[in-house]
Amino acid sequence: TGTFASYTWSNGATTQTIRVNPSTTTTYTVTVTNAGCSSTATATVVVNPIPTPSITEMDNSGIANNDGIICAGASAGLSTSSSGSYIWSTGATTQSITVSPSNTTTYTVTVSNAGCSATATSTVVVNPIPNPSISETDSSGVAPNDGIICSGSFANLTTTGTFASYTWSNGATTPTIRVNPST
């Protein structure tokens, strides 16, 4: 014997407590009935969107501009277009940062907005600067291979090291060139 309360929620639930996971801000209503009397209450669950950060990398070094590849000693700019507050893996708290890593480095930004946060990452690849040198060979002049040739003779110039491409001052693109300068 006794009186029992009943609960009727706007989502159809009939328990005293409900668990909700709305995708947008939603107002819930419950009607409580006890001993023939009813009363209604409402509660609104505000849904803040989760930020969707992405990182844009800007550079003018390396293979192509803005490709995420820089040469050693160069800098790159990293920026996120998401709004909110920012914390980068470098400790910076601005929307954009400039980095000058000495080796390939992955950077992370966490964007927070209205209590929700998300993270994005970007890797800046650092390529070493080539360190070429030139060796000269010749068979004329004062002594062989001394960089001195007689007029009308030839010298061979060879870069040391293996590189992706070669561009000589005379337009040649091979590792070794044969030259016969008049002066």
Side-chain angles (χ1 to χ4, degrees):
T1 64
T3 59
F4 299 97
S6 65
Y7 308 92
T8 305
W9 289 89
S10 53
N11 68 354
T14 58
T15 57
Q16 184 176 2
T17 302
I18 62 172
R19 183 177 196 148
V20 295
N21 184 18
S23 58
T24 60
T25 298
T26 304
T27 299
Y28 295 91
T29 303
V30 64
T31 301
V32 178
T33 304
N34 190 13
C37 299
S38 296
S39 183
T40 302
T42 60
T44 300
V45 177
V46 177
V47 177
N48 291 325
I50 295 175
T52 54
S54 62
I55 298 174
T56 301
E57 185 274 345
M58 298 149 294
D59 70 74
N60 58 6
S61 173
I63 297 170
N65 289 347
N66 307 323
D67 62 355
I69 301 170
I70 63 172
C71 296
S75 297
L78 302 175
S79 181
T80 180
S81 60
S82 296
S83 61
S85 62
Y86 314 95
I87 183 75
W88 290 87
S89 52
T90 63
T93 57
T94 55
Q95 189 171 3
S96 299
I97 62 173
T98 300
V99 295
S100 300
S102 56
N103 51 36
T104 298
T105 304
T106 299
Y107 295 92
T108 303
V109 64
T110 300
V111 178
S112 299
N113 191 359
C116 301
S117 62
T119 302
T121 61
S122 180
T123 299
V124 177
V125 175
V126 179
N127 285 336
I129 295 177
N131 188 18
S133 62
I134 301 172
S135 66
E136 183 272 344
T137 58
D138 67 74
S139 59
S140 71
V142 178
N145 307 325
D146 63 355
I148 301 170
I149 62 172
C150 296
S151 180
S153 296
F154 291 88
N156 291 315
L157 302 175
T158 304
T159 60
T160 57
T162 303
F163 304 105
S165 66
Y166 308 87
T167 305
W168 291 89
S169 55
N170 67 358
T173 58
T174 58
T176 300
I177 62 172
R178 184 176 174 123
V179 295
N180 64 339
S182 60
T183 59

